[in-house]
């Protein structure tokens, strides 16, 4: 998300907007007596809590996938379908986020998203049956999907001078929530009597906590700038003289969408199956959960460092290459000695998974305006998650029919090569406005 230097004209417009729209814009200029200072702090808290909730619904399930499969009577193929539900929901619901934000305001949509996450996590362990479990999981994932898309836009619009640091903070909180759920779900389940339903339900409390700081922003009817979301809330087009942005004409947008999709494929395969890979290699369930947590926790420091580093580089290709090599080495180790070198492979795959905060950073860097970021974020994430849908499902099918992890791991490693190539292309110093605007 961001970090490309705006033109002086854009800086002037941003400053004017902050001064003239104090009622609807959160100030980012510090000041003890500033009327908007408390709102700025509250928004930061809201962003952090929202980010903490964007992955526990997935990684907590990954840690208990074997218990859930046994409890619901799932086959390996159906479990693979279950791990494909997150990217499917992100693709289907994520594309609606800009339209919902135009109509209700971004704060209201994120607040509703947190409510949906909490409700889904609270209900799904007790519905009984695979179909109902999938449906209630989709409810939680719907809330995650719209928040996924809107977070980069909120950061870009509300913190235009702190894009790198706020992206890093948001990404770090997301990684922390991911890792924490992976690490403590099994111990929590054991402490609750070994009941997997209770172990999954506890994460609803975190979502409920995230609703609270967004309530003031949900009630606030934002006075969106015309075109800020690619059109005013009333459905009107951008002001006369503003070039239309046809995002599908941008090669950079497509490269970023494919990069996003391939890194999401790797991430959801990891979150859904990595703990099971280690368990099948003879690693105890609790240790397998910790290994998954190590993979996820690597994103905590790196998710803060990578966006700041990326915004200082004219081309993000070198970062993409480092992440790609880490992934290839990690998969090779997972194939050759999954138990013996488990901790090393977990670390390397955790580094590779930091392609996610890099992709978010590039969303902001590849567009100059808030409208551009909104369109690019929705396009790259929705298209990317569509691309990622077959991966986790295919891993489940290969695992069931081959009787081992050799073919699935080979698939994971093979996908890392095109991911690196399109990531280098997406990292070039250009914007979608230069490629996709029309008169």
């Amino acid at each position: 998300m961001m970090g490309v230097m705006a033109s002086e004209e854009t800086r002037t417009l941003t400053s004017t907007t902050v001064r003239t729209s104090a009622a609807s814009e959160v100030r980012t200029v510090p000041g003890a007596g500033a009327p908007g200072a408390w709102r700025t702090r509250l928004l930061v808290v809201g962003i952090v809590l929202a980010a903490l909730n964007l992955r526990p619904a997935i990684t907590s399930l990954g840690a208990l996938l074997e218990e859930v499969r046994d409890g619901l009577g799932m086959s390996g193929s159906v479990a693979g379908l279950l791990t494909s539900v997150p990217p499917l929901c992100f693709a289907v619901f994520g594309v609606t986020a800009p339209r919902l934000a135009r109509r209700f305001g971004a704060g209201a949509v994120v607040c509703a998203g947190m409510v949906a996450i909490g409700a889904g996590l609270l209900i799904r362990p007790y519905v009984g049956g695979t179909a109902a479990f999938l449906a209630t999981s989709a409810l939680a994932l719907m809330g995650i999907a719209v928040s996924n898309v809107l977070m980069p836009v909120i950061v870009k619009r509300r913190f235009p001078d702190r894009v790198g640091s706020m992206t890093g903070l948001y990404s770090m909180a997301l990684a922390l929530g991911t890792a924490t759920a992976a690490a403590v779900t099994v111990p929590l389940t054991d402490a609750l009597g070994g009941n997997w339903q209770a172990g999954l339900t506890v994460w609803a409390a975190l979502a409920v906590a995230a609703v609270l700081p967004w309530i003031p922003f949900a009630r606030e009817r934002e006075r969106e700038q015309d075109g800020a979301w690619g059109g005013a809330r009333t459905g009107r087009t951008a002001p006369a003289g503003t070039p239309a942005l046809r995002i599908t004409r941008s090669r950079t947008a497509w490269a970023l969408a494919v990069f996003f999709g391939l890194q999401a494929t790797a991430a959801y395969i990891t979150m859904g199956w990595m703990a099971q890979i280690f368990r099948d290699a003879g690693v105890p369930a609790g240790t397998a959960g910790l290994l998954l947590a190590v993979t996820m926790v690597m994103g905590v420091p790196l998710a803060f460092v990578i966006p700041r580093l990326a915004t200082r580089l004219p081309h993000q290709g070198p970062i993409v290459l480092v992440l790609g090599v880490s992934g290839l080495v990690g998969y090779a180790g997972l194939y050759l000695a999954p138990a013996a070198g488990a901790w090393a492979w977990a670390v390397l795959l955790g580094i590779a998974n930091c392609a996610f905060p890099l992709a978010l950073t590039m969303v902001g860097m590849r567009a100059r305006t808030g409208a551009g970021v909104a369109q690019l974020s929705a396009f790259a994430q929705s298209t990317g998650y569509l691309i990622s849908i077959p991966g986790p499902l295919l891993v489940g099918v290969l695992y069931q029919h081959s009787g081992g992890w050799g073919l699935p791991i080979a698939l994971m490693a093979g996908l890392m090569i095109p991911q690196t190539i399109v990531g280098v292309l997406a990292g070039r110093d250009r914007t979608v406005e230069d490629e996709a605007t029309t008169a």
Side-chain angles (χ1 to χ4, degrees), residues 259 302 306 316-329 348-359 416 419-420:
F259 177 66
L302 292 180
I306 287 176
Q316 290 72 50
I319 303 176
V320 174
L321 289 171
V322 170
L323 300 182
V325 171
S326 297
L328 288 173
V329 175
L348 286 169
L349 292 174
I351 295 172
N353 275 350
C354 287
F356 176 72
L358 177 61
M416 188 60 63
Q419 176 184 320
T420 302

Side-chain angles (χ1 to χ4, degrees), residues 84-104:
S84 293
V85 169
L88 174 62
C89 290
F90 294 168
V92 171
F93 298 118
V95 74
T96 67
R99 182 180 301 175
L100 292 171
R102 285 198 301 270
R103 182 168 184 179
F104 301 107

Side-chain angles (χ1 to χ4, degrees), residues 221-248:
R221 299 296 293 181
E222 297 179 359
R223 297 171 188 158
E224 305 286 2
Q225 288 179 286
D226 285 345
W229 297 97
R233 282 224 307 249
T234 58
R236 294 174 298 178
T237 57
T242 301
L245 182 61
R246 297 188 179 181
I247 200 73
T248 55

Side-chain angles (χ1 to χ4, degrees), residues 366-422:
R366 300 288 85 88
R368 288 195 301 268
T369 65
V373 172
Q375 286 186 258
L376 180 57
S377 180
F379 174 75
Q381 293 200 44
S382 295
T383 305
Y385 284 125
L386 277 174
I387 292 170
S388 71
I389 290 170
L393 176 60
L394 184 56
V395 165
V397 172
L398 289 175
Y399 171 57
Q400 179 172 343
H401 290 283
S402 68
W405 288 105
L407 285 178
I409 293 173
L411 172 67
M412 299 177 213
L415 291 176
M416 188 60 63
I417 296 172
Q419 176 184 320
T420 302
I421 294 172
V422 294

